[in-house]
Amino acid sequence: MSTPVIGIIMGSQSDLKVMKEAAAFLEDLKIPFELTVVSAHRTPERMMEYGTTARSRGLKVIIAGAGGAAHLPGMVASLTSLPVIGVPIHSSNSIDGWDSILSILQMPSGVPVATVALNGARNAGILAAQIIGADNQAVAQRLDEFKKSLKEKVEESARDIEKKGWRISE
Ligand code: RP5
């Protein structure tokens, strides 16, 4: 795999501080991705171009992040039959984040966006990798190792806490 199979897009460069967490996870898993800024409101033609050419360029999943009136994920989902994962971002024009969560989550029937938590770009990266891993054995194996490392971390912290003499309440 060297052609990007995942597209990470965001409404503004100011979203990068959140969205780079998706990129970091994909880098760890050695999954080729592309990353750019596409604004639904400021560059609608660019968004049309991105959404309508995504599949023919080899992408299999799109991760789209936006804040405030977060229309990018839903609009891109309307332009492609690829799965779109939406990342609501707490940005400078957010009230409290619910505005972007609901803008991305409450899609009409027929045009779903798989919405992760506020600023949940890392989970978006994980979910995108899992979609790729559905028919890619090498990626699936790396995801299994990742899940194992999560389990080991919890078991280790449980051992640490229990060593201090604390117990689950009786
Ligand atoms: C949204 O507006 C972007 O996704 C960003 O989260 C927010 C603020 O954009 P900037 O004014 O920082 O460019 O469309």
Side-chain angles (χ1 to χ4, degrees):
M1 261 200 288
S2 59
T3 310
V5 289
I6 298 176
I8 302 177
I9 52 175
M10 62 208 84
S12 167
Q13 190 171 0
S14 63
D15 298 324
L16 187 60
K17 56 186 180 307
V18 170
M19 295 304 288
K20 66 183 183 192
E21 290 179 33
F25 186 81
L26 298 177
E27 255 166 21
D28 283 352
L29 255 71
K30 303 181 177 60
I31 300 175
F33 64 91
E34 59 179 31
L35 182 148
T36 190
V37 175
V38 178
S39 168
H41 304 122
R42 293 165 177 156
T43 62
E45 298 83 3
R46 179 171 164 79
M47 178 192 64
M48 289 279 291
E49 171 77 11
Y50 193 92
T52 54
T53 61
R55 184 185 287 279
S56 62
R57 291 187 299 103
L59 297 183
K60 294 188 188 309
V61 188
I62 296 172
I63 300 173
H71 295 134
L72 180 67
M75 286 307 297
V76 167
S78 77
L79 295 166
T80 180
S81 53
L82 293 176
V84 175
I85 303 171
V87 184
I89 294 178
H90 191 273
S91 61
S92 60
N93 58 328
S94 291
I95 297 173
D96 56 8
W98 275 113
D99 37 13
S100 26
I101 292 172
L102 297 176
S103 305
I104 296 176
L105 185 66
Q106 292 300 114
M107 289 297 290
S109 176
V111 192
V113 171
T115 310
V116 296
L118 187 67
N119 291 343
R122 183 170 160 81
N123 264 1
I126 295 168
L127 184 54
Q130 288 177 330
I131 293 170
I132 299 298
D135 71 350
N136 181 314
Q137 204 43 49
V139 170
Q141 202 175 332
R142 284 179 225 132
L143 280 164
D144 285 342
E145 282 160 21
F146 165 68
K147 296 274 181 184
K148 194 167 154 232
S149 77
L150 293 180
K151 183 178 159 211
E152 285 168 356
K153 253 183 240 160
V154 172
E155 286 169 350
E156 195 186 321
S157 61
R159 277 195 301 275
D160 279 356
I161 285 181
E162 287 168 14
K163 246 191 263 163
K164 295 189 171 92
W166 290 319
R167 291 280 178 273
I168 298 164
S169 62
E170 287 144 22

